[in-house]
Amino acid sequence: QDMMLVGSPGSGSLHRRNLALMYAEMTQREVEVLTLSSDVTESDLKQRKELAGLEKAERNVLPTINNLLENREINLEDGRLLVSPKRYNELLSSRSFDADNTFLVPTHPNFRVVALATPAPPYPGRGIDPPLRSRFQIRRVDNPSAEEIYSDLINSGANVDIASQLSAFAAAMDSAASDFSSGPSSSGRTLVFPSNALVSAAHTLDNFPREDCRSVLARLYPAALPDERFERVFGPSSKESSRKSFDRACDELGIIGKVVDKECSHMYEIDTIERSASDPFVATVSFSAAPLEVPSSFFGGRNDPNSSGPSVKVSCGSNELHRRSPSFVRTQGTSSVFTSMMQEHAAGRDILLISPRGEGKSTITAEFASLLGYDTALFNLYREMSGRDLLQRRATDPTTGETRWEDSALVKAACHGDLCILDGVERLASDTVTTLHSLMTEREISLPDGSKLVRADRMG
């Protein structure tokens, strides 16, 4: 029978996705992933399976999904009809049936669907109708427990003390986000903390022992930042509730420090960037450490900070490294931003810069790309973009006049190893952004033209 894995949002969504992929690997099945959003149409379902985000699907596509699940039948856009293998075999035994000249196509007996969904309510989304829900065997898969998070952090090479503190923090935040005492509405609710990102936080704290642990965690959870302008992004009630839950969890677990704003200086600054002799696309970034002006207890029992700055290896482009634009004026604030960006880049994280218009996000990103020798690809986003537009669009071949698929700036950057700037991501609908989930987390994604981007290490 087809399956549905449900659970709360956050790192659990990645956990459920991985479970579906592990099941496919164990049973030696090929996988096709279709991320559902409000702009996915019936023709998208037919032309292009693990169904991710079932609660985001529009009502007009649900009957198509239901018919495929119940009867294993679906009308295709080219006039063919998928039918169940049992019905096809019955027709095949008929003398009047011509298998070589028919529009009927049997579905494969091994075809299965694994749907991934978040229950709505209490979370935002559209409730799934009982007839469709009955087609699945449903299993609840919660977010990873503190013990599971601790084990993942230890396996990633994290310090025991850091792993213990971060896993306890994630459990406290998950408990706060699961409190529905405020009612089914999302207003005033604590936003889910992405505990799957704690591996990168542990990497940063291990390599930069002077860094403020609370500030490193706040990078993963912008709702904790003190800037009141973020209320427009998260909503004033959710912003306040999330900030209080974050501070409470930090205080109870003894995570010392404060959430810094853009004017605060870092304990480290970028010193040198040198390309590796063995791999031209890897560079070693050395940091200089600021004079120590706080007691060692400030670092929450972590390794005693050394006076010398650390060095980390990062990915880089093929251009000259450590280039600085003569027109770019460095300040204490921009140096702090560059340090944070380089630390997250070293941990293998993509970066989101949030600020009002005109505060230099694009300029800072271009300067960061110059430091690491990357070519940049600017991708301007707009409100009406669909999930398909983020990946490919239909274009006309100038020589033949025929239409063809054309890669977006994002896909081109992914193929060429460039740094892509998604300008205006806040304009997109939230379920449209989820189209990029697999590309951001796994560096793999299925494209509208039927091809698939695959991680470089898997192609070898």
Side-chain angles (χ1 to χ4, degrees):
Q1 189 170 353
D2 297 313
M3 297 162 274
M4 180 188 294
L5 305 180
V6 301
S8 57
S11 59
S13 60
L14 180 61
H15 187 44
R16 293 188 289 274
R17 185 188 187 91
N18 288 338
L19 281 176
L21 295 175
M22 289 168 63
Y23 164 78
E25 184 175 3
M26 291 175 63
T27 56
Q28 296 294 297
R29 294 173 183 261
E30 292 187 9
V31 176
E32 294 290 341
V33 180
L34 176 60
T35 301
L36 297 178
S37 63
S38 58
D39 54 49
V40 170
T41 64
E42 184 177 347
S43 61
D44 291 326
L45 291 176
K46 296 175 180 179
Q47 293 174 358
R48 300 190 329 178
K49 56 186 191 160
E50 171 197 350
L51 298 177
L54 191 59
E55 77 283 356
K56 300 184 181 73
E58 286 288 350
R59 294 290 185 188
N60 61 337
V61 305
L62 296 181
T64 303
I65 297 175
N66 185 66
N67 189 44
L68 180 62
L69 298 179
E70 180 182 10
N71 304 314
R72 289 305 195 253
E73 294 184 359
I74 188 172
N75 290 302
L76 302 180
E77 297 294 311
D78 61 3
R80 293 179 300 160
L81 173 65
L82 287 180
V83 298
S84 68
K86 179 180 179 181
R87 183 181 178 190
Y88 185 84
N89 289 333
E90 291 175 351
L91 292 171
L92 197 60
S93 61
S94 173
R95 293 182 179 180
S96 60
F97 183 73
D98 184 4
D100 296 327
N101 187 24
T102 181
F103 59 89
L104 300 179
V105 179
T107 57
H108 198 283
N110 293 336
F111 170 67
R112 292 293 181 275
V113 172
V114 179
L116 312 179
T118 298
Y123 298 102
R126 301 178 181 87
I128 301 173
D129 294 333
L132 176 59
R133 195 165 60 233
S134 66
R135 309 302 175 206
F136 296 99
Q137 282 286 347
I138 301 177
R139 182 176 181 85
R140 181 183 177 91
V141 181
D142 291 317
N143 289 343
S145 64
E147 292 76 15
E148 291 171 322
I149 295 173
Y150 176 82
S151 177
D152 288 342
L153 291 172
I154 292 298
N155 291 336
S156 70
N159 174 285
V160 172
D161 293 334
I162 292 176
S164 177
Q165 193 173 49
L166 294 184
S167 58
F169 172 81
M173 291 298 294
D174 187 58
S175 176
S178 300
D179 181 10
F180 300 124
S181 59
S182 59
S185 171
S186 60
S187 176
R189 180 183 300 163
T190 297
L191 301 173
V192 176
F193 181 85
S195 57
N196 58 296
L198 287 175
V199 170
S200 66
H203 179 278
T204 299
L205 295 172
D206 271 336
N207 286 284
F208 301 89
R210 290 189 180 186
E211 281 295 354
D212 180 349
C213 181
R214 189 173 291 206
S215 289
V216 172
L217 289 173
R219 294 182 203 166
L220 311 179
Y221 196 67
L225 296 173
D227 197 327
E228 295 180 356
R229 290 171 294 190
F230 290 153
E231 292 181 357
R232 294 195 298 249
V233 179
F234 305 109
S237 299
S238 290
K239 170 75 169 62
E240 182 65 16
S241 175
S242 301
R243 186 186 61 79
K244 288 182 178 179
S245 297
F246 181 91
D247 290 339
R248 187 185 308 116
C250 288
D251 293 340
E252 291 176 353
L253 295 169
I255 299 178
I256 305 173
K258 64 178 181 177
V259 177
V260 300
D261 60 26
K262 63 181 179 180
E263 299 301 329
C264 292
S265 60
H266 265 276
M267 292 289 182
Y268 300 93
E269 286 192 6
I270 299 172
D271 189 12
T272 61
I273 304 176
E274 298 180 354
R275 195 181 301 275
S276 169
S278 58
D279 189 340
F281 296 104
V282 173
T284 299
V285 182
S286 299
F287 294 78
S288 58
L292 190 60
E293 298 177 354
V294 293
S296 59
S297 60
F298 177 82
F299 303 101
R302 288 182 273 139
N303 297 333
D304 291 336
N306 300 318
S307 57
S308 59
S311 297
V312 293
K313 293 187 180 298
V314 301
S315 300
C316 66
S318 58
N319 298 325
E320 178 188 351
L321 298 180
H322 218 162
R323 293 174 296 161
R324 296 196 180 190
S325 172
S327 60
F328 185 85
V329 178
R330 290 221 174 193
T331 64
Q332 178 176 293
T334 57
S335 295
S336 177
V337 171
F338 284 135
T339 297
S340 297
M341 293 174 70
M342 194 66 75
Q343 289 172 343
E344 296 303 317
H345 184 57
R349 298 273 295 171
D350 295 308
I351 298 168
L352 172 66
L353 299 182
I354 304 177
S355 79
R357 293 180 180 177
E359 294 203 357
K361 296 184 293 295
S362 297
T363 303
I364 287 176
T365 304
E367 187 71 7
F368 179 76
S370 295
L371 290 176
L372 292 175
Y374 280 115
D375 289 321
T376 60
L378 179 62
F379 193 7
N380 291 304
L381 308 178
Y382 51 90
R383 189 179 304 277
E384 293 76 18
M385 289 188 82
S386 65
R388 174 186 290 180
D389 295 331
L390 292 175
L391 303 174
Q392 290 180 325
R393 67 183 182 93
R394 298 295 291 178
T396 303
D397 191 309
T399 56
T400 65
E402 297 179 351
T403 60
R404 56 182 173 80
W405 287 107
E406 183 177 84
D407 291 339
S408 69
L410 176 62
V411 172
K412 291 178 181 178
C415 293
H416 300 151
D418 298 335
L419 189 150
C420 184
I421 304 174
L422 298 178
D423 191 6
V425 71
E426 78 284 353
R427 303 187 188 108
L428 300 176
S430 58
D431 56 347
T432 300
V433 179
T434 60
T435 304
L436 303 179
H437 186 268
S438 60
L439 181 62
M440 297 296 100
T441 57
E442 301 155 6
R443 288 302 191 260
E444 298 188 3
I445 195 167
S446 297
L447 301 178
D449 66 356
S451 60
K452 184 175 182 177
L453 287 183
V454 181
R455 272 201 332 263
D457 60 303
R458 293 188 58 198
M459 290 294 290

